[in-house]
Amino acid sequence: MPDQKTMRAIGVKNGKGPATSLYIDNIPIPSLTPTQALVKIKAFGLNRMDLLQREGHYPLPPQAPETLGVEFSGTITALGSAKDQDKTEDFKIGDEVFGLAYGGAYAEYIAVATGMLIHKPAELSWEEAAGIPETWITATQALFLVGGFARGQSVLWHAGASSVSICGIQLAREAGAKEIFVTAGSEEKIKFCVEELGATAGFNYRTQDWCEELLGATGGRGVDVIVDYIGAGYFQDNLKAAAVDGRIVNLAFMGGVRVEGGVDISPFLRKRLRYEGSTLRSRDEGYQRKLRDMMVENALPRLRDGTFKVFVERVFAFEDVIEAHQLMESNQTKGKIICTI
C-alpha cells in the first residue's frame, strides 16, 4: 500500500459542466474489497462516455465511483485479502497490468476487480495498453457476442474512425470477413479506414447517401452485421442496409433517440432482422470478465505481434486533461486520446 492516504484525481467543479470545469482534486485513496487490486496508474484512456458523464448525462452504475475513467494501465501496489487463488487469479504486487473498471481511472490510484485486469505485455507501451480495454472489449462484444459474426460474413461499422470501430475493423478482417464497410465524415477518415485498417470501402455520410452506396456495392444484398452508434438518425437506413437474417447492434445515440416520420418496420419480418442494444459499463463483473477473456484470446496475441495496432491520436499530461477533453469533443481524431501520470 502507498504511504500516503490521499491521491490526486480529476474532479468536476459543481459535479457537472464543460471541459473547463475539470480540475485536479485531492481525494482518499480507495480501499480494497477482498477480490480487488490497487493499481498505481501510469496512463488512462479517454472515452466518449467520459464527456457525457462530465456533462451529467451518463447514469452511473451503483458500483462506480464519481471519478471519471474506465480504462488504464499501471502497476499493482496492493491486493485484497482473498485467500482463494481463483478470486485474485495469478496477480501479485509489482505486476504491470492494464484493465477495465467501472470508474475512477482519472487518478493516481484505482481499486479494480482482479477479474478485469490483464498482464501488460512488454511489447506494448503504457500508453498503448491504456487505450485497449474499453475499445477492444466493446468491439469484441459488438462483433462476436451480440452481432454473432461468423467467417465469410460482411460487416458495416458506422463512425469508422472511432476508437471502437478501429478495433472492430481489425477484428473483422482477421476473423475472415468477406467485406468490411465503414461510414465516416471525411475523406481523410475513409482513406485511413481503407488503407491503414483494411476496410473494403467507406462512404462519406456528409456527401453521399451511404445506404444507397452500400446497397450498390453489395449488389443489393446488404450486410450481415451493422454496428451502430447513431441510433434514431440511422434507424430506417440500417433496416434497409441489413441483409436477410442481419443483425444490427446499437451502442449509442449520437443521432438522437426519437425516430420521426413514417418509419417502415417491415424489414424486421421480411428480412428476419435482429436489432439489439448493448452496454458494457452497466454489466456485472461476471459478464465483463467473460468479455475480457474473449478479448485476451482473440486480440491480445495479435496486439503483441503487431498484427493488430493500437492507434493513439495524442498523449496528454495528467494536468492537461481539459485540452484532452476538448480534442475529443472536436470529433477530429482517429484513434485513442491518452493521459499519462
Side-chain angles (χ1 to χ4, degrees), residues 11-18 20-23 53-56 66:
V12 184
K13 295 174 185 175
N14 301 316
K16 64 179 181 180
T20 51
S21 65
L22 297 172
Y23 73 105
Q53 182 179 335
R54 189 203 71 218
E55 294 168 350
E66 291 184 3

Side-chain angles (χ1 to χ4, degrees), residues 32 35-39 72 99-102 110-117:
L32 298 178
T35 58
Q36 287 183 324
L38 187 70
V39 177
F72 60 90
L100 186 69
Y102 287 107
I110 189 169
V112 60
T114 54
M116 287 311 298
L117 291 176

Side-chain angles (χ1 to χ4, degrees), residues 44-64:
F44 58 85
L46 273 63
N47 291 282
R48 195 158 292 276
M49 76 177 79
D50 302 344
L51 308 185
L52 295 173
Q53 182 179 335
R54 189 203 71 218
E55 294 168 350
H57 302 314
Y58 193 103
L60 293 181
Q63 63 272 63

Side-chain angles (χ1 to χ4, degrees), residues 42-337:
K42 291 278 191 178
F44 58 85
L46 273 63
N47 291 282
R48 195 158 292 276
M49 76 177 79
D50 302 344
L51 308 185
L52 295 173
Q53 182 179 335
R54 189 203 71 218
E55 294 168 350
H57 302 314
Y58 193 103
L60 293 181
Q63 63 272 63
E66 291 184 3
T67 304
L68 299 168
V70 298
E71 60 181 351
F72 60 90
S73 62
T75 303
I76 294 176
T77 61
L79 289 166
S81 59
K83 303 298 183 183
D84 186 347
Q85 183 68 19
D86 183 55
K87 298 296 185 182
T88 56
E89 303 195 24
D90 62 342
F91 295 102
K92 62 183 184 299
I93 293 173
D95 282 354
E96 296 181 349
V97 295
F98 62 105
L100 186 69
Y102 287 107
Y106 284 31
E108 291 182 302
Y109 291 90
I110 189 169
V112 60
T114 54
M116 287 311 298
L117 291 176
I118 303 165
H119 289 284
K120 186 184 85 66
E123 295 90 341
L124 296 173
S125 68
W126 292 111
E127 293 82 1
E128 289 172 326
I132 291 173
E134 170 67 20
T135 47
W136 284 90
I137 289 175
T138 298
T140 298
Q141 175 193 33
L143 186 64
F144 298 113
L145 200 61
V146 183
F149 172 83
R151 180 174 293 273
Q153 293 185 334
S154 55
V155 188
L156 167 64
W157 292 89
H158 286 304
S162 67
S163 294
V164 173
S165 290
I166 287 172
C167 305
I169 293 165
Q170 296 179 78
L171 284 169
R173 183 194 68 208
E174 191 67 17
K178 178 184 178 182
E179 296 170 310
I180 304 170
F181 298 102
V182 300
T183 61
S186 72
E187 296 304 319
E188 178 189 4
K189 289 182 176 181
I190 290 172
K191 183 178 180 181
F192 167 75
C193 292
V194 173
E195 296 184 3
E196 293 285 332
L197 303 178
T200 307
F203 313 110
N204 187 334
Y205 64 81
R206 299 184 192 278
T207 60
Q208 296 175 287
D209 182 332
W210 67 263
C211 182
E212 291 300 325
E213 294 288 343
L214 181 139
L215 289 171
T218 59
R221 179 184 180 277
V223 290
D224 299 297
V225 180
I226 297 173
V227 182
D228 173 58
Y229 317 90
I230 311 304
Y234 280 2
F235 184 81
Q236 183 73 85
D237 280 345
N238 280 335
L239 297 184
K240 189 175 179 181
V244 173
D245 293 318
R247 283 86 64 205
I248 302 164
V249 183
N250 177 250
L251 300 180
F253 303 119
M254 294 175 66
V257 297
R258 297 187 181 277
V259 180
E260 306 292 345
V263 177
D264 177 8
I265 64 171
S266 65
F268 277 113
L269 292 182
R270 289 191 293 101
K271 297 197 281 186
R272 302 186 297 269
L273 301 182
R274 190 178 84 203
Y275 190 108
E276 184 171 348
S278 190
T279 60
L280 179 59
R281 194 176 185 182
S282 62
R283 303 283 191 163
D284 62 40
E285 286 184 8
Y287 181 92
Q288 292 194 1
R289 181 173 174 173
K290 176 183 177 180
L291 279 169
R292 178 206 66 171
D293 293 344
M294 288 178 65
M295 191 279 287
V296 168
E297 179 181 352
N298 288 312
L300 192 59
R302 294 171 179 85
L303 286 163
R304 293 184 67 175
D305 69 19
T307 303
F308 290 164
K309 295 181 180 179
V310 181
F311 289 84
V312 176
E313 174 79 18
R314 190 168 167 189
V315 178
F316 290 87
F318 183 69
E319 296 79 6
D320 296 325
V321 66
I322 290 175
E323 189 180 351
H325 268 233
Q326 290 171 335
L327 177 60
M328 175 162 276
E329 288 174 331
S330 74
N331 293 322
Q332 299 300 310
T333 58
K334 301 186 298 294
K336 295 297 298 187
I337 299 171

